[in-house]
Each structure stands twice: as C-alpha cells, then as structure tokens.
Amino acid sequence: FSVAAREMRARGANFALAPVVDVAREPRWGRIEETYGEDPYLCGEMGKAAVLGFMGESKQLASDKVYATLKHMTGHGQPENGTNIGPAEISERTLREEFFPPFEKLVKETSVSAIMPSYNEIGGIPSHANRWLLHKVVREEWGFKGLTVSDYFGIKELETRHKLAADPKEAAYRAFKAGVDIET
C-alpha cells in the first residue's frame, strides 16, 4: 500500500477509495474478492496495514502518501440472495459484533480520513440515508472526525433504486442530513 500510495501521488492523486474492510459472509456476493475475508479481526488487521501504508502514521500527509477511505459501511458483504447491493437484514447485535469491528478499530487506531457508506439497505434504510449509522455510530460513538464520502451513484440511488427520494434534490438532502459530506 505504501508503493501504491507513492505511485498514486506520482500521477497526481491524493485520495484512495480503499481499503475495503467489508466482512464477507455471503460467498455468492459478486464483490467478495475485494475483501480480506469473513473474519472481522483479520479484516481489521489487514485494513489497518493498508491505511498505514496509504497514509503513514502522521496526521500530516507526506508527499508520497494518500488519504484512505474505509469501504463499505456496512453489511455489504451479506446481501440477500448474494446479490450485489441487495438488502442486508442484519440485527444490530450482529452489526456490532461482526460487521462494525474492522471499521471501529481503524477509526480508533489510525487517522483514516474517510468512510464510504455501502449501497445496500439495512433494516430497510439505505446506508447513504442512515443517520443512525453515519452519525450516531460513526461520529458520536467512535469519534470519527473525517469525511463521509458517497459511493458512486449512491445518493442518486436513494431516488432510483431505493425509492426513498422523489428527486435528486431530496436524495441529496437526505444523504446530507444522514451525514454524507461529499458525493463521488
């Protein structure tokens, strides 16, 4: 990840949309190869190594480092029917015991700069519009001070896929109110 950061900076980039610390629990899921597997501990350890490789240990970004983004907050790795972006009916207990730990570890043990919400819904609420997830848990409970960055078309999908918003303006408003800072 240090080499990747150095190569990214050489090309003018300073922001990585990685690492993926999703806990993968559905083998049919089409993005399982992006993850570090099904073990929350391993996902946290590998994710920490990635963040430190990308960013280093200093809060000041060195000339050969890039900002890191934790992906995808959360439950993305256990979609119904193995369908990418499918809803994830996961209890709060399971979220806290299995899916949150890699994210929480990295928020508390590194200076990771961004978190990206997942495309899916948890309990019928899309992650890009889930204030409990993005504000209450991430900001208030864990003390995250960085940016929340949408996944590509994640805000638009509040209108098109999730049917939560009537138009793009309402989708943007709902995402902003939930805690999304930047649209990708």
Side-chain angles (χ1 to χ4, degrees):
F1 293 100
S2 292
V3 171
R6 188 171 57 246
E7 291 178 357
M8 290 173 70
R9 284 303 287 267
R11 300 278 301 163
N14 62 7
F15 192 73
L17 298 180
V20 174
V21 294
D22 292 319
V23 174
R25 292 293 170 89
E26 171 52 80
R28 298 172 298 172
W29 180 45
R31 299 179 73 171
I32 202 162
E33 78 285 350
E34 295 179 41
T35 75
Y36 298 122
E38 63 184 313
D39 181 358
Y41 177 79
L42 178 63
C43 291
E45 289 298 311
M46 295 293 289
K48 183 175 181 179
V51 168
L52 293 176
F54 279 135
M55 297 181 59
E57 295 194 36
S58 171
K59 288 197 184 255
Q60 180 74 26
L61 194 63
S63 62
D64 64 341
K65 297 295 183 187
V66 296
Y67 296 109
T69 305
L70 302 181
K71 297 169 55 173
H72 302 90
M73 187 72 187
T74 190
H76 205 32
Q78 189 173 318
E80 289 182 4
N81 298 325
T83 306
N84 188 38
I85 310 174
E89 292 303 320
I90 303 171
S91 70
E92 182 176 343
R93 177 181 177 179
T94 301
L95 287 170
R96 290 185 180 279
E97 290 180 358
E98 298 177 23
F99 292 92
F100 286 177
F103 292 92
E104 182 177 12
K105 173 186 181 65
L106 296 174
V107 165
K108 292 182 174 179
E109 295 181 13
T110 72
S111 57
V112 67
S113 54
I115 292 178
M116 179 179 286
S118 54
Y119 284 122
N120 61 304
E121 300 172 2
I122 298 173
I125 302 171
S127 294
H128 282 77
N130 192 328
R131 185 162 175 81
W132 172 78
L133 182 68
L134 301 179
H135 185 76
K136 177 73 175 142
V137 173
V138 172
R139 299 233 184 252
E140 290 181 10
E141 291 182 22
W142 300 346
F144 180 64
K145 303 281 190 238
L147 296 172
T148 303
V149 181
S150 78
D151 209 337
Y152 291 102
F153 304 110
I155 295 174
K156 179 179 178 128
E157 288 185 356
L158 294 177
E159 174 194 2
T160 60
R161 178 182 306 279
H162 301 291
K163 308 298 185 201
L164 181 68
D167 54 43
K169 183 177 180 180
E170 182 183 357
Y173 177 77
R174 286 179 175 262
F176 178 74
K177 290 296 284 183
V180 177
D181 298 307
I182 297 173
E183 181 177 17
T184 307

